[in-house]
Structure formats: C-alpha cells, structure tokens
PDB file of all heavy atoms in Angstrom:
ATOM      1  N   ILE A  10     -10.775  -5.127   6.593  1.00 97.00           N
ATOM      2  CA  ILE A  10     -11.517  -5.926   7.546  1.00 97.00           C
ATOM      3  C   ILE A  10     -10.760  -5.783   8.885  1.00 97.00           C
ATOM      4  O   ILE A  10      -9.612  -6.164   8.975  1.00 97.00           O
ATOM      5  CB  ILE A  10     -11.599  -7.389   7.144  1.00 97.00           C
ATOM      6  CG1 ILE A  10     -12.262  -7.558   5.827  1.00 97.00           C
ATOM      7  CG2 ILE A  10     -12.304  -8.180   8.261  1.00 97.00           C
ATOM      8  CD1 ILE A  10     -13.755  -7.104   5.791  1.00 97.00           C
ATOM      9  N   LYS A  11     -11.403  -5.176   9.878  1.00 95.00           N
ATOM     10  CA  LYS A  11     -10.782  -4.966  11.143  1.00 95.00           C
ATOM     11  C   LYS A  11     -11.376  -5.954  12.153  1.00 95.00           C
ATOM     12  O   LYS A  11     -12.386  -5.700  12.812  1.00 95.00           O
ATOM     13  CB  LYS A  11     -10.937  -3.530  11.630  1.00 95.00           C
ATOM     14  CG  LYS A  11     -10.241  -2.585  10.692  1.00 95.00           C
ATOM     15  CD  LYS A  11     -10.186  -1.211  11.289  1.00 95.00           C
ATOM     16  CE  LYS A  11      -9.384  -0.324  10.370  1.00 95.00           C
ATOM     17  NZ  LYS A  11      -8.234   0.215  10.982  1.00 95.00           N
ATOM     18  N   ALA A  12     -10.787  -7.128  12.239  1.00 92.00           N
ATOM     19  CA  ALA A  12     -11.282  -8.182  13.112  1.00 92.00           C
ATOM     20  C   ALA A  12     -10.172  -8.859  13.915  1.00 92.00           C
ATOM     21  O   ALA A  12     -10.214 -10.067  14.144  1.00 92.00           O
ATOM     22  CB  ALA A  12     -12.068  -9.180  12.293  1.00 92.00           C
ATOM     23  N   ALA A  13      -9.171  -8.067  14.261  1.00 87.00           N
ATOM     24  CA  ALA A  13      -8.025  -8.545  15.107  1.00 87.00           C
ATOM     25  C   ALA A  13      -7.404  -9.816  14.497  1.00 87.00           C
ATOM     26  O   ALA A  13      -7.141  -9.880  13.280  1.00 87.00           O
ATOM     27  CB  ALA A  13      -8.472  -8.747  16.507  1.00 87.00           C
ATOM     28  N   CYS A  14      -7.149 -10.828  15.310  1.00 88.00           N
ATOM     29  CA  CYS A  14      -6.448 -12.047  14.894  1.00 88.00           C
ATOM     30  C   CYS A  14      -7.134 -12.781  13.744  1.00 88.00           C
ATOM     31  O   CYS A  14      -6.481 -13.421  12.946  1.00 88.00           O
ATOM     32  CB  CYS A  14      -6.253 -12.957  16.065  1.00 88.00           C
ATOM     33  SG  CYS A  14      -5.248 -12.239  17.371  1.00 88.00           S
ATOM     34  N   SER A  15      -8.404 -12.674  13.640  1.00 94.00           N
ATOM     35  CA  SER A  15      -9.155 -13.432  12.597  1.00 94.00           C
ATOM     36  C   SER A  15      -9.406 -12.624  11.308  1.00 94.00           C
ATOM     37  O   SER A  15      -9.995 -13.136  10.377  1.00 94.00           O
ATOM     38  CB  SER A  15     -10.501 -13.888  13.158  1.00 94.00           C
ATOM     39  OG  SER A  15     -11.241 -12.798  13.588  1.00 94.00           O
ATOM     40  N   ALA A  16      -8.859 -11.407  11.217  1.00 95.00           N
ATOM     41  CA  ALA A  16      -9.088 -10.556  10.063  1.00 95.00           C
ATOM     42  C   ALA A  16      -8.710 -11.184   8.745  1.00 95.00           C
ATOM     43  O   ALA A  16      -9.417 -11.073   7.742  1.00 95.00           O
ATOM     44  CB  ALA A  16      -8.446  -9.184  10.265  1.00 95.00           C
ATOM     45  N   PHE A  17      -7.537 -11.836   8.729  1.00 96.00           N
ATOM     46  CA  PHE A  17      -7.070 -12.445   7.443  1.00 96.00           C
ATOM     47  C   PHE A  17      -7.973 -13.569   7.024  1.00 96.00           C
ATOM     48  O   PHE A  17      -8.344 -13.694   5.858  1.00 96.00           O
ATOM     49  CB  PHE A  17      -5.642 -12.923   7.557  1.00 96.00           C
ATOM     50  CG  PHE A  17      -5.089 -13.433   6.284  1.00 96.00           C
ATOM     51  CD1 PHE A  17      -4.807 -12.599   5.202  1.00 96.00           C
ATOM     52  CD2 PHE A  17      -4.890 -14.805   6.098  1.00 96.00           C
ATOM     53  CE1 PHE A  17      -4.347 -13.063   4.017  1.00 96.00           C
ATOM     54  CE2 PHE A  17      -4.394 -15.317   4.909  1.00 96.00           C
ATOM     55  CZ  PHE A  17      -4.110 -14.456   3.854  1.00 96.00           C
ATOM     56  N   ILE A  18      -8.407 -14.372   7.981  1.00 96.00           N
ATOM     57  CA  ILE A  18      -9.311 -15.535   7.660  1.00 96.00           C
ATOM     58  C   ILE A  18     -10.685 -14.986   7.142  1.00 96.00           C
ATOM     59  O   ILE A  18     -11.209 -15.514   6.163  1.00 96.00           O
ATOM     60  CB  ILE A  18      -9.506 -16.444   8.844  1.00 96.00           C
ATOM     61  CG1 ILE A  18      -8.183 -17.043   9.340  1.00 96.00           C
ATOM     62  CG2 ILE A  18     -10.534 -17.533   8.600  1.00 96.00           C
ATOM     63  CD1 ILE A  18      -7.443 -17.860   8.268  1.00 96.00           C
ATOM     64  N   TYR A  19     -11.198 -13.993   7.819  1.00 97.00           N
ATOM     65  CA  TYR A  19     -12.396 -13.355   7.335  1.00 97.00           C
ATOM     66  C   TYR A  19     -12.243 -12.795   5.930  1.00 97.00           C
ATOM     67  O   TYR A  19     -13.109 -12.885   5.069  1.00 97.00           O
ATOM     68  CB  TYR A  19     -12.924 -12.277   8.281  1.00 97.00           C
ATOM     69  CG  TYR A  19     -13.564 -12.742   9.515  1.00 97.00           C
ATOM     70  CD1 TYR A  19     -13.189 -12.297  10.754  1.00 97.00           C
ATOM     71  CD2 TYR A  19     -14.645 -13.696   9.447  1.00 97.00           C
ATOM     72  CE1 TYR A  19     -13.848 -12.766  11.929  1.00 97.00           C
ATOM     73  CE2 TYR A  19     -15.268 -14.149  10.606  1.00 97.00           C
ATOM     74  CZ  TYR A  19     -14.876 -13.673  11.838  1.00 97.00           C
ATOM     75  OH  TYR A  19     -15.478 -14.106  12.949  1.00 97.00           O
ATOM     76  N   SER A  20     -11.081 -12.155   5.714  1.00 98.00           N
ATOM     77  CA  SER A  20     -10.796 -11.601   4.390  1.00 98.00           C
ATOM     78  C   SER A  20     -10.802 -12.660   3.285  1.00 98.00           C
ATOM     79  O   SER A  20     -11.331 -12.474   2.196  1.00 98.00           O
ATOM     80  CB  SER A  20      -9.467 -10.872   4.410  1.00 98.00           C
ATOM     81  OG  SER A  20      -9.520  -9.746   5.311  1.00 98.00           O
ATOM     82  N   LEU A  21     -10.162 -13.801   3.592  1.00 97.00           N
ATOM     83  CA  LEU A  21     -10.154 -14.914   2.620  1.00 97.00           C
ATOM     84  C   LEU A  21     -11.581 -15.395   2.365  1.00 97.00           C
ATOM     85  O   LEU A  21     -11.963 -15.708   1.173  1.00 97.00           O
ATOM     86  CB  LEU A  21      -9.340 -16.050   3.178  1.00 97.00           C
ATOM     87  CG  LEU A  21      -7.814 -15.943   3.038  1.00 97.00           C
ATOM     88  CD1 LEU A  21      -7.154 -17.125   3.745  1.00 97.00           C
ATOM     89  CD2 LEU A  21      -7.368 -15.878   1.604  1.00 97.00           C
ATOM     90  N   SER A  22     -12.365 -15.490   3.426  1.00 98.00           N
ATOM     91  CA  SER A  22     -13.762 -15.971   3.290  1.00 98.00           C
ATOM     92  C   SER A  22     -14.606 -15.023   2.456  1.00 98.00           C
ATOM     93  O   SER A  22     -15.353 -15.466   1.599  1.00 98.00           O
ATOM     94  CB  SER A  22     -14.376 -16.118   4.685  1.00 98.00           C
ATOM     95  OG  SER A  22     -15.725 -16.459   4.582  1.00 98.00           O
ATOM     96  N   ILE A  23     -14.400 -13.740   2.651  1.00 98.00           N
ATOM     97  CA  ILE A  23     -15.143 -12.750   1.852  1.00 98.00           C
ATOM     98  C   ILE A  23     -14.718 -12.809   0.390  1.00 98.00           C
ATOM     99  O   ILE A  23     -15.515 -12.775  -0.531  1.00 98.00           O
ATOM    100  CB  ILE A  23     -14.965 -11.325   2.454  1.00 98.00           C
ATOM    101  CG1 ILE A  23     -15.639 -11.276   3.843  1.00 98.00           C
ATOM    102  CG2 ILE A  23     -15.493 -10.247   1.498  1.00 98.00           C
ATOM    103  CD1 ILE A  23     -15.241 -10.050   4.651  1.00 98.00           C
ATOM    104  N   ALA A  24     -13.375 -12.908   0.159  1.00 98.00           N
ATOM    105  CA  ALA A  24     -12.866 -13.017  -1.202  1.00 98.00           C
ATOM    106  C   ALA A  24     -13.482 -14.231  -1.881  1.00 98.00           C
ATOM    107  O   ALA A  24     -13.856 -14.200  -3.042  1.00 98.00           O
ATOM    108  CB  ALA A  24     -11.351 -13.064  -1.157  1.00 98.00           C
ATOM    109  N   ASP A  25     -13.527 -15.356  -1.178  1.00 98.00           N
ATOM    110  CA  ASP A  25     -14.090 -16.571  -1.699  1.00 98.00           C
ATOM    111  C   ASP A  25     -15.502 -16.328  -2.208  1.00 98.00           C
ATOM    112  O   ASP A  25     -15.889 -16.826  -3.274  1.00 98.00           O
ATOM    113  CB  ASP A  25     -14.051 -17.648  -0.619  1.00 98.00           C
ATOM    114  CG  ASP A  25     -14.636 -18.985  -1.086  1.00 98.00           C
ATOM    115  OD1 ASP A  25     -14.190 -19.500  -2.144  1.00 98.00           O
ATOM    116  OD2 ASP A  25     -15.510 -19.531  -0.376  1.00 98.00           O
ATOM    117  N   GLN A  26     -16.326 -15.633  -1.431  1.00 98.00           N
ATOM    118  CA  GLN A  26     -17.654 -15.403  -1.820  1.00 98.00           C
ATOM    119  C   GLN A  26     -17.791 -14.513  -3.071  1.00 98.00           C
ATOM    120  O   GLN A  26     -18.652 -14.719  -3.945  1.00 98.00           O
ATOM    121  CB  GLN A  26     -18.462 -14.772  -0.634  1.00 98.00           C
ATOM    122  CG  GLN A  26     -18.582 -15.670   0.532  1.00 98.00           C
ATOM    123  CD  GLN A  26     -19.121 -17.085   0.138  1.00 98.00           C
ATOM    124  OE1 GLN A  26     -20.163 -17.187  -0.472  1.00 98.00           O
ATOM    125  NE2 GLN A  26     -18.413 -18.112   0.558  1.00 98.00           N
ATOM    126  N   PHE A  27     -16.906 -13.493  -3.202  1.00 98.00           N
ATOM    127  CA  PHE A  27     -16.894 -12.645  -4.387  1.00 98.00           C
ATOM    128  C   PHE A  27     -16.506 -13.485  -5.618  1.00 98.00           C
ATOM    129  O   PHE A  27     -17.056 -13.277  -6.707  1.00 98.00           O
ATOM    130  CB  PHE A  27     -15.930 -11.468  -4.197  1.00 98.00           C
ATOM    131  CG  PHE A  27     -16.557 -10.268  -3.519  1.00 98.00           C
ATOM    132  CD1 PHE A  27     -16.362 -10.049  -2.209  1.00 98.00           C
ATOM    133  CD2 PHE A  27     -17.363  -9.375  -4.243  1.00 98.00           C
ATOM    134  CE1 PHE A  27     -16.902  -8.909  -1.568  1.00 98.00           C
ATOM    135  CE2 PHE A  27     -17.930  -8.295  -3.643  1.00 98.00           C
ATOM    136  CZ  PHE A  27     -17.685  -8.060  -2.331  1.00 98.00           C
ATOM    137  N   ILE A  28     -15.563 -14.390  -5.455  1.00 97.00           N
ATOM    138  CA  ILE A  28     -15.145 -15.258  -6.543  1.00 97.00           C
ATOM    139  C   ILE A  28     -16.273 -16.190  -6.936  1.00 97.00           C
ATOM    140  O   ILE A  28     -16.668 -16.366  -8.107  1.00 97.00           O
ATOM    141  CB  ILE A  28     -13.891 -16.096  -6.210  1.00 97.00           C
ATOM    142  CG1 ILE A  28     -12.667 -15.157  -5.901  1.00 97.00           C
ATOM    143  CG2 ILE A  28     -13.553 -17.129  -7.254  1.00 97.00           C
ATOM    144  CD1 ILE A  28     -12.076 -14.469  -7.098  1.00 97.00           C
ATOM    145  N   LYS A  29     -16.845 -16.901  -5.952  1.00 97.00           N
ATOM    146  CA  LYS A  29     -17.885 -17.890  -6.208  1.00 97.00           C
ATOM    147  C   LYS A  29     -19.132 -17.291  -6.847  1.00 97.00           C
ATOM    148  O   LYS A  29     -19.808 -17.955  -7.656  1.00 97.00           O
ATOM    149  CB  LYS A  29     -18.313 -18.625  -4.921  1.00 97.00           C
ATOM    150  CG  LYS A  29     -17.302 -19.621  -4.505  1.00 97.00           C
ATOM    151  CD  LYS A  29     -17.670 -20.330  -3.220  1.00 97.00           C
ATOM    152  CE  LYS A  29     -16.646 -21.419  -2.873  1.00 97.00           C
ATOM    153  NZ  LYS A  29     -16.970 -22.048  -1.604  1.00 97.00           N
ATOM    154  N   THR A  30     -19.425 -16.039  -6.560  1.00 96.00           N
ATOM    155  CA  THR A  30     -20.655 -15.373  -7.142  1.00 96.00           C
ATOM    156  C   THR A  30     -20.346 -14.748  -8.455  1.00 96.00           C
ATOM    157  O   THR A  30     -21.228 -14.233  -9.119  1.00 96.00           O
ATOM    158  CB  THR A  30     -21.214 -14.337  -6.188  1.00 96.00           C
ATOM    159  OG1 THR A  30     -20.237 -13.361  -5.946  1.00 96.00           O
ATOM    160  CG2 THR A  30     -21.673 -14.983  -4.885  1.00 96.00           C
ATOM    161  N   GLY A  31     -19.068 -14.765  -8.903  1.00 96.00           N
ATOM    162  CA  GLY A  31     -18.733 -14.146 -10.203  1.00 96.00           C
ATOM    163  C   GLY A  31     -18.540 -12.646 -10.128  1.00 96.00           C
ATOM    164  O   GLY A  31     -18.368 -12.020 -11.151  1.00 96.00           O
ATOM    165  N   MET A  32     -18.550 -12.075  -8.937  1.00 96.00           N
ATOM    166  CA  MET A  32     -18.394 -10.641  -8.830  1.00 96.00           C
ATOM    167  C   MET A  32     -16.957 -10.190  -8.983  1.00 96.00           C
ATOM    168  O   MET A  32     -16.705  -8.993  -9.196  1.00 96.00           O
ATOM    169  CB  MET A  32     -18.940 -10.170  -7.462  1.00 96.00           C
ATOM    170  CG  MET A  32     -20.388 -10.396  -7.212  1.00 96.00           C
ATOM    171  SD  MET A  32     -21.437  -9.398  -8.317  1.00 96.00           S
ATOM    172  CE  MET A  32     -21.106  -7.817  -7.646  1.00 96.00           C
ATOM    173  N   ALA A  33     -16.026 -11.117  -8.843  1.00 96.00           N
ATOM    174  CA  ALA A  33     -14.584 -10.781  -8.999  1.00 96.00           C
ATOM    175  C   ALA A  33     -13.853 -12.032  -9.515  1.00 96.00           C
ATOM    176  O   ALA A  33     -14.346 -13.136  -9.382  1.00 96.00           O
ATOM    177  CB  ALA A  33     -14.002 -10.317  -7.672  1.00 96.00           C
ATOM    178  N   THR A  34     -12.721 -11.794 -10.147  1.00 96.00           N
ATOM    179  CA  THR A  34     -11.901 -12.873 -10.661  1.00 96.00           C
ATOM    180  C   THR A  34     -10.590 -13.040  -9.888  1.00 96.00           C
ATOM    181  O   THR A  34     -10.232 -14.141  -9.500  1.00 96.00           O
ATOM    182  CB  THR A  34     -11.606 -12.645 -12.151  1.00 96.00           C
ATOM    183  OG1 THR A  34     -12.832 -12.463 -12.842  1.00 96.00           O
ATOM    184  CG2 THR A  34     -10.815 -13.763 -12.742  1.00 96.00           C
ATOM    185  N   ASN A  35      -9.849 -11.907  -9.762  1.00 97.00           N
ATOM    186  CA  ASN A  35      -8.592 -11.935  -9.036  1.00 97.00           C
ATOM    187  C   ASN A  35      -8.605 -10.942  -7.886  1.00 97.00           C
ATOM    188  O   ASN A  35      -8.735  -9.732  -8.134  1.00 97.00           O
ATOM    189  CB  ASN A  35      -7.404 -11.529  -9.929  1.00 97.00           C
ATOM    190  CG  ASN A  35      -7.155 -12.601 -10.983  1.00 97.00           C
ATOM    191  OD1 ASN A  35      -7.034 -13.765 -10.699  1.00 97.00           O
ATOM    192  ND2 ASN A  35      -7.019 -12.167 -12.264  1.00 97.00           N
ATOM    193  N   ILE A  36      -8.588 -11.425  -6.678  1.00 98.00           N
ATOM    194  CA  ILE A  36      -8.649 -10.555  -5.498  1.00 98.00           C
ATOM    195  C   ILE A  36      -7.334 -10.626  -4.714  1.00 98.00           C
ATOM    196  O   ILE A  36      -6.851 -11.729  -4.415  1.00 98.00           O
ATOM    197  CB  ILE A  36      -9.833 -11.016  -4.549  1.00 98.00           C
ATOM    198  CG1 ILE A  36     -11.143 -10.936  -5.295  1.00 98.00           C
ATOM    199  CG2 ILE A  36      -9.861 -10.089  -3.324  1.00 98.00           C
ATOM    200  CD1 ILE A  36     -12.332 -11.426  -4.525  1.00 98.00           C
ATOM    201  N   LEU A  37      -6.802  -9.442  -4.460  1.00 98.00           N
ATOM    202  CA  LEU A  37      -5.587  -9.359  -3.642  1.00 98.00           C
ATOM    203  C   LEU A  37      -6.035  -9.318  -2.204  1.00 98.00           C
ATOM    204  O   LEU A  37      -6.724  -8.397  -1.775  1.00 98.00           O
ATOM    205  CB  LEU A  37      -4.796  -8.135  -3.959  1.00 98.00           C
ATOM    206  CG  LEU A  37      -3.557  -7.811  -3.124  1.00 98.00           C
ATOM    207  CD1 LEU A  37      -2.545  -8.919  -3.270  1.00 98.00           C
ATOM    208  CD2 LEU A  37      -2.990  -6.472  -3.529  1.00 98.00           C
ATOM    209  N   VAL A  38      -5.708 -10.373  -1.423  1.00 98.00           N
ATOM    210  CA  VAL A  38      -6.070 -10.468  -0.006  1.00 98.00           C
ATOM    211  C   VAL A  38      -4.785 -10.338   0.782  1.00 98.00           C
ATOM    212  O   VAL A  38      -3.823 -11.094   0.572  1.00 98.00           O
ATOM    213  CB  VAL A  38      -6.768 -11.817   0.348  1.00 98.00           C
ATOM    214  CG1 VAL A  38      -7.077 -11.851   1.853  1.00 98.00           C
ATOM    215  CG2 VAL A  38      -8.024 -11.967  -0.445  1.00 98.00           C
ATOM    216  N   VAL A  39      -4.751  -9.389   1.686  1.00 98.00           N
ATOM    217  CA  VAL A  39      -3.529  -9.064   2.445  1.00 98.00           C
ATOM    218  C   VAL A  39      -3.803  -9.015   3.930  1.00 98.00           C
ATOM    219  O   VAL A  39      -4.841  -8.500   4.366  1.00 98.00           O
ATOM    220  CB  VAL A  39      -2.949  -7.678   2.028  1.00 98.00           C
ATOM    221  CG1 VAL A  39      -1.702  -7.353   2.762  1.00 98.00           C
ATOM    222  CG2 VAL A  39      -2.775  -7.599   0.536  1.00 98.00           C
ATOM    223  N   GLY A  40      -2.912  -9.600   4.689  1.00 97.00           N
ATOM    224  CA  GLY A  40      -2.985  -9.488   6.176  1.00 97.00           C
ATOM    225  C   GLY A  40      -1.693  -8.772   6.589  1.00 97.00           C
ATOM    226  O   GLY A  40      -0.607  -9.231   6.239  1.00 97.00           O
ATOM    227  N   ALA A  41      -1.793  -7.665   7.293  1.00 96.00           N
ATOM    228  CA  ALA A  41      -0.635  -6.928   7.745  1.00 96.00           C
ATOM    229  C   ALA A  41      -0.913  -6.235   9.072  1.00 96.00           C
ATOM    230  O   ALA A  41      -1.986  -5.668   9.293  1.00 96.00           O
ATOM    231  CB  ALA A  41      -0.275  -5.886   6.686  1.00 96.00           C
ATOM    232  N   GLU A  42       0.069  -6.341   9.930  1.00 94.00           N
ATOM    233  CA  GLU A  42      -0.032  -5.692  11.244  1.00 94.00           C
ATOM    234  C   GLU A  42       1.294  -5.072  11.677  1.00 94.00           C
ATOM    235  O   GLU A  42       2.375  -5.687  11.466  1.00 94.00           O
ATOM    236  CB  GLU A  42      -0.395  -6.704  12.346  1.00 94.00           C
ATOM    237  CG  GLU A  42      -1.754  -7.322  12.166  1.00 94.00           C
ATOM    238  CD  GLU A  42      -2.915  -6.434  12.453  1.00 94.00           C
ATOM    239  OE1 GLU A  42      -2.711  -5.341  12.967  1.00 94.00           O
ATOM    240  OE2 GLU A  42      -4.028  -6.859  12.190  1.00 94.00           O
ATOM    241  N   VAL A  43       1.261  -3.933  12.219  1.00 94.00           N
ATOM    242  CA  VAL A  43       2.437  -3.291  12.907  1.00 94.00           C
ATOM    243  C   VAL A  43       1.895  -2.876  14.286  1.00 94.00           C
ATOM    244  O   VAL A  43       1.210  -1.865  14.359  1.00 94.00           O
ATOM    245  CB  VAL A  43       2.996  -2.110  12.132  1.00 94.00           C
ATOM    246  CG1 VAL A  43       4.097  -1.411  12.918  1.00 94.00           C
ATOM    247  CG2 VAL A  43       3.529  -2.555  10.760  1.00 94.00           C
ATOM    248  N   GLN A  44       2.240  -3.636  15.303  1.00 86.00           N
ATOM    249  CA  GLN A  44       1.762  -3.327  16.619  1.00 86.00           C
ATOM    250  C   GLN A  44       2.838  -2.779  17.552  1.00 86.00           C
ATOM    251  O   GLN A  44       2.550  -2.400  18.687  1.00 86.00           O
ATOM    252  CB  GLN A  44       1.077  -4.516  17.240  1.00 86.00           C
ATOM    253  CG  GLN A  44      -0.157  -4.910  16.481  1.00 86.00           C
ATOM    254  CD  GLN A  44      -0.917  -6.050  17.107  1.00 86.00           C
ATOM    255  OE1 GLN A  44      -0.596  -6.583  18.123  1.00 86.00           O
ATOM    256  NE2 GLN A  44      -2.013  -6.423  16.491  1.00 86.00           N
ATOM    257  N   THR A  45       4.063  -2.748  17.053  1.00 82.00           N
ATOM    258  CA  THR A  45       5.185  -2.222  17.879  1.00 82.00           C
ATOM    259  C   THR A  45       4.907  -0.874  18.482  1.00 82.00           C
ATOM    260  O   THR A  45       5.192  -0.636  19.648  1.00 82.00           O
ATOM    261  CB  THR A  45       6.502  -2.223  17.054  1.00 82.00           C
ATOM    262  OG1 THR A  45       6.670  -3.482  16.445  1.00 82.00           O
ATOM    263  CG2 THR A  45       7.663  -1.923  17.903  1.00 82.00           C
ATOM    264  N   PRO A  46       4.370   0.122  17.704  1.00 79.00           N
ATOM    265  CA  PRO A  46       4.175   1.450  18.309  1.00 79.00           C
ATOM    266  C   PRO A  46       3.183   1.480  19.481  1.00 79.00           C
ATOM    267  O   PRO A  46       3.235   2.389  20.293  1.00 79.00           O
ATOM    268  CB  PRO A  46       3.610   2.287  17.146  1.00 79.00           C
ATOM    269  CG  PRO A  46       4.021   1.574  15.955  1.00 79.00           C
ATOM    270  CD  PRO A  46       4.072   0.093  16.292  1.00 79.00           C
ATOM    271  N   GLN A  47       2.336   0.441  19.581  1.00 76.00           N
ATOM    272  CA  GLN A  47       1.374   0.430  20.676  1.00 76.00           C
ATOM    273  C   GLN A  47       1.926  -0.191  21.985  1.00 76.00           C
ATOM    274  O   GLN A  47       1.273  -0.134  23.019  1.00 76.00           O
ATOM    275  CB  GLN A  47       0.113  -0.380  20.308  1.00 76.00           C
ATOM    276  CG  GLN A  47      -0.844   0.327  19.365  1.00 76.00           C
ATOM    277  CD  GLN A  47      -0.326   0.313  17.904  1.00 76.00           C
ATOM    278  OE1 GLN A  47       0.231  -0.611  17.434  1.00 76.00           O
ATOM    279  NE2 GLN A  47      -0.533   1.444  17.216  1.00 76.00           N
ATOM    280  N   LEU A  48       3.110  -0.693  21.907  1.00 76.00           N
ATOM    281  CA  LEU A  48       3.709  -1.358  23.091  1.00 76.00           C
ATOM    282  C   LEU A  48       4.529  -0.365  23.939  1.00 76.00           C
ATOM    283  O   LEU A  48       5.309   0.381  23.366  1.00 76.00           O
ATOM    284  CB  LEU A  48       4.632  -2.505  22.642  1.00 76.00           C
ATOM    285  CG  LEU A  48       3.939  -3.616  21.868  1.00 76.00           C
ATOM    286  CD1 LEU A  48       4.988  -4.642  21.404  1.00 76.00           C
ATOM    287  CD2 LEU A  48       2.811  -4.273  22.641  1.00 76.00           C
ATOM    288  N   ASP A  49       4.229  -0.353  25.197  1.00 73.00           N
ATOM    289  CA  ASP A  49       4.926   0.574  26.118  1.00 73.00           C
ATOM    290  C   ASP A  49       5.488  -0.261  27.274  1.00 73.00           C
ATOM    291  O   ASP A  49       4.768  -0.710  28.120  1.00 73.00           O
ATOM    292  CB  ASP A  49       3.976   1.634  26.606  1.00 73.00           C
ATOM    293  CG  ASP A  49       4.689   2.606  27.610  1.00 73.00           C
ATOM    294  OD1 ASP A  49       5.863   2.511  27.790  1.00 73.00           O
ATOM    295  OD2 ASP A  49       3.988   3.529  28.055  1.00 73.00           O
TER     296      ASP A  49
END
C-alpha cells in the first residue's frame, strides 16, 4: 500500500476487513520506510 504517512493505517484497515470477512486468519502487516537516500 503506497499511501505515504497513512500507509500503515490503511494496511491495518485492509487487514481488518480480510479478517472480518473470513478471507484470512493471520495477516502480517508491516510499515517500513527508508527515505535517507532521497535526502540531498
């Protein structure tokens, strides 16, 4: 999910829907950023 600062929250929300609908049981939700290379 590429949604900048809110990506992790959106990811949790999507995972919640997959769990609630029975489409998944255990979902690994990860938020990770490395922005150092973009800084000049």
